């Protein structure tokens, strides 16, 4: 009996020690700046800085993507693979794994849990929901796994977030419409994927700008899922039922939105939209006809910054808990062929895949040479 009790105490003590060691595997909060301050820019003045325990490479890194059925996500997967294949990056990687789980949030969480259980050093995630990941974030921290969210980020300070100011992007589009529509009126807002942080933040930014203008707006909202065919269809339906509109804003699928306007013979109007090559082609071609555009966002190459951040954290370098990326912005009348859009490239190609401060720059050929398939 006494022997059993002693054995139980020893086992319990060992469990506590092991659990404490696991907890200690998480990052230490330290003072900045980051190791590459121009690349890893902190989100705000009060952003914390992390320093993870240094691990010897090469590393096993996974990309846990969610939604895949639009060109941005496809190009993002291709860009991630292109970055991992670059010679200096590949030398630091033992394995790079890609999984896309669709719009099923539990499936994405399960994929992340599987990567943790399989001993991956870092997991990069484009999250389907900003708030549903608390348990898996805790597991990653306790296991000493570097978790980096980008684009659709996580509502936490226990993982690293890499993103542009999505709400600020919505405000920019809203202000563009305000400045070009003097009397207010009926607006079409083509949203993205419901429930994601990007869709919510951009939507809130648009409406805060419109509400603050003092003008009267009648906004029709449709879900385009950042996808050209889907956005084209819902725009055509909206024009038929609620049009005409005096302005349009689209979070993505903007080439399809303009095509729907053309097919419906809807007048060209001021448009605040994303960075698709086809959209910018339309903006340049039809500016004189009334299609006055603000094209802004960030290309899918932000995934490369997220992977770079994960590697730097694994190497024991100081990184911000929240990294702020610059927007790629071009507005009428400054659309220049060969610089802001590429006439010979696919309409579906997203422009803005260069982050010079991070040493990241991709050619269209380098990205399009990769597949969207899991690996």
């Amino acid at each position: 009996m006494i022997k059993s009790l002693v054995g139980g105490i020893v086992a319990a003590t060992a469990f506590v020690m092991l659990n404490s060691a696991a907890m200690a595997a998480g990052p230490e909060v330290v003072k900045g700046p980051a190791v590459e301050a121009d690349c890893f820019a902190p989100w705000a003045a009060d952003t914390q800085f992390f320093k993870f325990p240094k691990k010897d490479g090469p590393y096993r890194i996974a990309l846990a993507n969610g939604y895949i059925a639009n060109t941005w996500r496809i190009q993002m997967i291709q860009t991630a693979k292109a970055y991992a294949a670059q010679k200096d990056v590949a030398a630091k990687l033992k394995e790079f794994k890609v999984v896309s789980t669709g719009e099923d949030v539990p499936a994405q969480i399960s994929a992340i849990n599987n990567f943790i259980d399989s001993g991956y050093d870092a997991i990069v995630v484009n999250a389907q929901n900003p708030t549903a990941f608390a348990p898996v974030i805790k597991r990653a921290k306790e296991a000493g796994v570097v978790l980096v969210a980008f684009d659709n980020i996580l509502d936490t300070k226990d993982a690293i977030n890499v993103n542009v100011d999505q709400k600020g992007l919505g405000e920019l589009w809203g202000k563009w419409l305000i400045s070009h529509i003097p009397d207010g009126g009926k607006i079409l807002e083509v949203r993205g994927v419901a429930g994601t942080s990007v869709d919510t933040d951009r939507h809130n930014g648009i409406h805060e700008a419109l509400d603050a203008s003092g003008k009267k707006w009648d906004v029709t909202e449709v879900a385009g899922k950042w996808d050209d065919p889907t956005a084209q269809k819902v725009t055509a339906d909206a024009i038929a039922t609620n049009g005409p509109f005096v302005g349009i804003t689209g979070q993505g699928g903007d080439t399809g939105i303009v095509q729907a306007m053309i097919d419906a013979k809807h007048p060209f109007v001021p448009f605040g939209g994303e960075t698709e090559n086809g959209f910018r082609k339309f903006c340049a071609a039809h500016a004189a006809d009334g299609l006055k555009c603000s094209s802004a966002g960030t290309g899918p190459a932000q995934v490369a910054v997220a992977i770079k951040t994960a590697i730097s954290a694994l190497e024991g370098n100081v990184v911000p808990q929240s990294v702020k990326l610059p927007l790629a912005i071009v507005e009428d009348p400054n659309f220049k062929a060969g610089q802001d859009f590429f006439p010979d490239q696919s309409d579906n190609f997203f422009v803005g895949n260069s982050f010079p401060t991070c040493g990241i720059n991709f050619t269209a050929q380098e990205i399009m040479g990769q597949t969207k398939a899991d690996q």
Side-chain angles (χ1 to χ4, degrees), residues 186-191 218-224 230-249 257 260-261 264 266:
K186 190 179 288 187
I187 299 293
L188 175 63
E189 179 191 0
V190 183
R191 298 187 61 172
D218 179 8
V219 182
T220 296
E221 296 179 25
V222 294
T230 305
Q232 183 172 340
K233 183 183 185 306
V234 297
T235 298
D237 293 343
I239 290 172
T241 57
N242 291 335
F245 301 99
V246 298
I248 294 176
T249 181
I257 296 171
M261 296 169 65
H266 187 288

Side-chain angles (χ1 to χ4, degrees), residues 92-232:
K92 298 181 179 183
L93 298 177
K94 181 179 181 180
E95 180 182 359
F96 182 66
K97 181 79 172 177
V98 178
V99 170
S100 295
T101 53
E103 296 183 66
D104 187 339
V105 175
Q108 189 177 31
I109 292 171
S110 177
I112 297 170
N113 273 318
N114 287 338
F115 287 134
I116 294 171
D117 292 339
S118 299
Y120 278 78
D121 299 300
I123 303 167
V124 178
V125 57
N126 194 330
Q128 282 302 113
N129 183 288
T131 60
F133 288 73
V136 77
I137 293 168
K138 184 173 183 290
R139 284 202 69 215
K141 182 178 179 180
E142 291 175 351
V145 176
V146 175
L147 184 62
V148 181
F150 71 99
D151 187 36
N152 289 288
I153 56 174
L154 297 168
D155 186 12
T156 182
K157 290 189 176 180
D158 285 329
I160 300 170
N161 285 320
V162 176
N163 206 2
V164 301
D165 185 355
Q166 302 287 359
K167 184 178 179 182
L169 179 56
E171 291 173 351
L172 182 147
W173 291 333
K175 290 175 181 177
W176 179 259
L177 297 182
I178 293 164
S179 67
H180 288 77
I181 305 170
D183 300 320
K186 190 179 288 187
I187 299 293
L188 175 63
E189 179 191 0
V190 183
R191 298 187 61 172
V193 175
T196 60
S197 64
V198 168
D199 174 71
T200 300
D201 290 347
R202 292 180 176 186
H203 168 77
N204 290 341
I206 291 164
H207 283 263
E208 286 188 17
L210 295 178
D211 293 344
S213 71
K215 300 178 181 181
K216 186 175 180 180
W217 304 98
D218 179 8
V219 182
T220 296
E221 296 179 25
V222 294
K225 292 193 172 183
W226 306 316
D227 173 59
D228 278 330
T230 305
Q232 183 172 340

